[in-house]
Each structure stands twice: as C-alpha cells, then as structure tokens.
Amino acid sequence: MSTPTVSAVLDKPSYSPGERMTLTVTYADADTTSYPVVVTVTDAAGGQGSATVNVVRNDQLTISVSDPTGKVWVPQSNDGARAVYATTA
Amino acid sequence: MSTIVVTVTDAVGNAATASASYTVSSGLTAPVLVGQIQTETRVLVTWAAIAGATGSYDFYRNGAQLGNTPSPDWLDPDVTPGVTYSYTARARTSAGVFGPQSTPLRITTPIPPPPPPPPPGYPDATNTGVPAGTALTPRGQLTITTAGAVVEGLDITGGVVVAAANVTIRKCRIRSSTQYVIKNNSTGLLVEDCEIDGLNGTGNSMGLGDGNLTVRRCNIHGTENGFNVGGPTIVEDSWIHDLYTGGGAHTDGMQFNQGASGITVRHNTIVSRPGSTSCIIMWDEGNPQNRDVLIENNRLLGPGAAYTIYTPRQGPLSNVRIRNNRMLPAGYGYNGGNQALVTEWSGNVNDSTGAPV
C-alpha cells in the first residue's frame, strides 16, 4: 500500500473578520482494488455466453482538517480528488 | 498567522499531510499609551479608544499581562518608587481577534524625597542627660532623707527614693530595674540633666513618679512608662524614648493617674517605639478627671504606638490645654479620646508635613 498525496490551498492569504474562507484539498492515492464483474447473456432458448470485466476502484481516503484557532471547516463538496471546505474569518 | 493542517488517511492508516496558513486582520490599530505618575507607587496609563475594539484591552507590564479592561485606561496601584516599568496594551474585537501591541511606554517612578530632618532645638541625645565631661562617682541605691539636699555627679545603680522636701538631683546617671528609678515621696523635687535608665525592667516600671516634682533636660529610657504622674509635675526639655515594650507591657511616655492636676509637659520629645500604647495617656476612667493640664511645644512621635495622645472619653475636664505640639500619628490616629472635651486643642501640627492636626 502506498501513501496518499495531498495539497491544501486557501483562496486568500489574509481575511477580514467575518469574511468567507475557502480551503481546497486535492488528494490522490495510487492504490486501487480490482473487482471482477461477470456479464452473462442468455437467449430465449436458454443459451448463454459470458464475459468477465475487471472494475478498478481507488481505495477510500479520509480527510481531516485541523485549525489551531478552533474554526470549524465545513465540507462543501468532494469529488474524490478534490474536496472544498469553508468557514468564516 | 494561523496554519491549517489537512490530513488524508487511507484505509490502512497511511497518512499524508499538507498545510495552509492565513491571517485574519483585526482592523484594529495599536493604542498609543500616555502615562501619568500619580504618586511614587501609582501610575495611571491611558490611551485613546481604538475604533472597532468591541472586546476589551489587554494590558501588560514588563511583558506580563496584568489584566484586561473595557475602558482605555489602567491604574497600576502597586509600583515601586525608583523603578522603570514598560507598559503595553492591545485591543481586541468581540470575536477575540487582537490588534497590534502598542509601542512600550516606559515610566520611571520617582523616589520620594527623604523626610525632613527633625526640627532643631528639640530634646534628643545631644541636649539631654548628663552633660558630656561630667565626672560621675559610682554608688548603690540611694534614699534621700535630708530636706534641701543636692545630689550631683553620681552614677547610681539601684534607684533613688526621695523622702525629704526640696531635694535636687542633678547631673546623675540613675539605673534601676526596680519599679521606680526615681520615686518621690515628698514635695519639691527637682531633677535636672540626668539619665534615667530602667534597664528594660519588667513589672510596670516607672522612670519617675508620682508627682510633686520638676524634671528638666533628662534622658529617660528603658522603663515601661517614662512618668507616672500622680500629682503636680513639670517636665521640660526632656527626651523620653526607647521604653520597654516586652512582656505585655502597657507602655506610655507619660501616664496620668486619676485626679492628677497641675501638670505641665513642655518642649519635650516623646518617641513611642512599636508596641507602645501612647506618648501621653490621661486618666480615662471614673471621676475625678485630670485638670489644669498644659501640654505644649512638644514633639510627640507616635507611629509605633496605638495613640499619640489619649485624652479622656468622659468629662468633665477642667483647663486641659494641648497646643502647639508637633505630632506623628499612631496606629489609631493622633488622639484616642474625646477631643471635644479638651479645653483647648490648637496649633498642633504633623511633624513631617506641618499640616494641622
């Protein structure tokens, strides 16, 4: 199993009190798991043919955000490679 | 600046971290401190209110926070004279966001001026007691039974009892730990230029008593009470000091007995050491009270005592005058009694400041 990769970027380096803050986390993991999928076709007379397809899925990753000021970063979206969090300055 | 840490962990615990830093500007400006030295031990620091400082101001002395205040000022009531202090403050919002720290304000508290020297001419070690160069002849306890006798130039150990009229004791050192250093059982006793030393004796010891005597330029110390006044007494130009205060002593420079009258206390220095009761305490129980009392032009220094002077709390008093004395207050003030009963209380001042007492 390999180590994931991650980067974190804020939309701004400095905020005014009350301003919305947005954090974008981009992440990835080289590890995958293959799942064989068997496709079977059957005709009216009962004849069958089948084929096997391998489906590859990335391993599941957990993201945590820690802010020493105690701000709570709320998840906004996550497409599996990029997660967006937001809070208020 | 704050730094966020993002951690990504896979199913088996492999983790990666990334960080991102940010600042939240407060919009606050730094206070500009102004100091005011109120006394040698009190400093007031103020500043103009900072716009947006909806929280409070944190205040620091020498880098350590003293506290916070909602108003733009801080009174530091406990500084040491002659020390330099560095004060800073910073504002914060109600959300807890701090503004920048102020530029340090350095304040050096002043050193109070030394107390003024004692006024010249009052009795002290230089002008009381046996004059320098006087030759003294040692002898033991002395009982004087000859009327008009003059005793001079003796160094007496064991005390003196006067049993004859119009005796003069002059230029003598008299030391005794008995109840009285000089006990007058007659009339017309004159004691001049003598040192009266009670040797810190216990047991209600008296320097001189109990009346019918005149004392001038004497140095009286080491007894529990300088004088026990039971009858007419004149004390002038004498120094009463360093009295015995141990063992439950009730130490007074002079204590007046019930009904004693004809008492003049003029131009003496009476100093109460810690643990004393008073410089002068008058009779304070049932009648008859003291009468015909004049206490004037003395230095009555009572800081170590409970009272500088104690006049009766009940009357009637007759012709009791306390005037033109220099005083320092004792633990309970200048006068522990009912001053309104005194015939005259005037011209008395604080020995250090000259302020009326």
Side-chain angles (χ1 to χ4, degrees):
Chain A
M1 298 288 282
S2 61
T3 300
T5 60
V6 62
S7 67
V9 178
L10 286 162
D11 60 331
K12 292 172 63 176
S14 181
Y15 303 88
S16 298
E19 190 176 3
R20 178 183 172 85
M21 304 171 67
T22 300
L23 171 68
T24 299
V25 178
T26 302
Y27 63 100
D29 191 297
D31 296 328
T32 58
T33 301
S34 295
Y35 297 90
V37 176
V38 178
V39 179
T40 301
V41 178
T42 305
D43 63 16
Q48 292 185 334
S50 63
T52 300
V53 178
N54 275 329
V55 177
V56 178
R57 196 191 78 175
N58 288 329
D59 287 349
Q60 186 168 358
L61 299 174
T62 302
I63 304 171
S64 67
V65 180
S66 174
D67 187 327
T69 68
K71 291 184 189 306
V72 176
W73 289 85
V74 179
Q76 304 296 301
S77 64
N78 189 344
D79 65 3
R82 192 179 75 156
V84 176
Y85 294 79
T87 191
T88 302
Chain B
M1 175 176 288
S2 301
T3 300
I4 306 167
V5 177
V6 178
T7 304
V8 175
T9 310
D10 67 14
V12 295
N14 294 315
T17 61
S19 63
S21 297
Y22 67 92
T23 59
V24 176
S25 63
S26 64
L28 302 172
T29 57
V32 177
L33 306 188
V34 177
Q36 178 189 12
I37 298 170
Q38 294 193 320
T39 69
E40 294 88 356
T41 59
R42 288 163 61 98
V43 172
L44 176 65
V45 179
T46 61
W47 55 91
I50 303 299
T54 51
S56 61
Y57 300 91
D58 284 0
F59 191 79
Y60 301 81
R61 183 176 75 187
N62 297 337
Q65 186 174 355
L66 295 181
N68 54 66
T69 171
S71 59
D73 56 69
W74 186 274
L75 176 64
D76 190 355
D78 188 26
V79 296
T80 302
V83 173
T84 298
Y85 294 92
S86 176
Y87 294 104
T88 57
R90 61 176 178 172
R92 67 175 173 179
T93 67
S94 55
V97 179
F98 289 99
Q101 199 90 10
S102 69
T103 299
L105 170 68
R106 292 172 63 82
I107 290 182
T108 300
T109 52
I111 297 174
Y122 278 86
D124 58 22
T126 66
N127 51 21
T128 61
V130 180
T134 302
L136 298 179
T137 301
R139 67 152 295 152
Q141 192 275 338
L142 177 62
T143 299
I144 303 171
T145 58
T146 303
V150 176
V151 174
E152 188 166 348
L154 297 180
D155 186 0
I156 301 168
T157 301
V160 175
V161 175
V162 178
N166 303 320
V167 168
T168 296
I169 303 173
R170 181 182 293 133
K171 297 180 182 176
C172 291
R173 180 168 68 168
I174 305 154
R175 294 177 289 179
S176 174
S177 59
T178 55
Q179 186 177 13
Y180 288 83
V181 181
I182 297 179
K183 177 71 164 72
N184 183 31
N185 292 330
S186 186
T187 58
L189 173 63
L190 173 63
V191 182
E192 292 181 328
D193 303 308
C194 289
E195 179 179 353
I196 312 294
D197 182 358
L199 301 173
N200 289 323
T202 59
N204 194 30
S205 65
M206 315 291 180
L208 300 101
D210 290 319
N212 299 303
L213 54 82
T214 296
V215 175
R216 296 192 179 101
R217 299 180 300 281
C218 285
N219 175 350
I220 301 161
H221 59 95
T223 57
E224 181 175 332
N225 302 291
F227 284 82
N228 186 55
V229 180
T233 297
I234 298 172
V235 182
E236 295 176 327
D237 302 316
S238 292
W239 182 35
I240 304 171
H241 64 102
D242 292 307
L243 299 179
Y244 175 73
T245 57
H250 188 285
T251 303
D252 302 291
M254 300 185 73
Q255 64 177 19
F256 296 179
N257 294 352
Q258 183 177 24
S261 64
I263 304 164
T264 297
V265 183
R266 180 185 290 122
H267 197 256
N268 303 283
T269 299
I270 305 178
V271 184
S272 290
R273 70 194 308 185
S276 301
T277 301
S278 72
C279 295
I280 299 174
I281 187 167
M282 297 179 66
W283 177 253
D284 187 43
E285 302 293 338
N287 290 330
Q289 302 296 321
N290 298 131
R291 58 187 170 81
D292 298 327
V293 174
L294 174 61
I295 300 172
E296 66 176 0
N297 297 326
N298 300 283
R299 284 189 86 205
L300 306 176
L301 310 182
Y307 311 100
T308 305
I309 192 167
Y310 197 108
T311 60
R313 294 170 294 178
Q314 56 191 327
L317 297 183
S318 174
N319 192 27
V320 173
R321 301 181 185 279
I322 301 170
R323 62 193 185 197
N324 302 329
N325 298 285
R326 303 176 65 95
M327 299 182 180
L328 287 179
Y332 295 115
Y334 293 101
N335 186 359
N338 186 348
Q339 199 161 295
L341 297 176
V342 175
T343 311
E344 178 185 1
W345 178 285
S346 66
N348 302 300
V349 299
N350 181 288
D351 186 70
S352 294
T353 67
V357 170

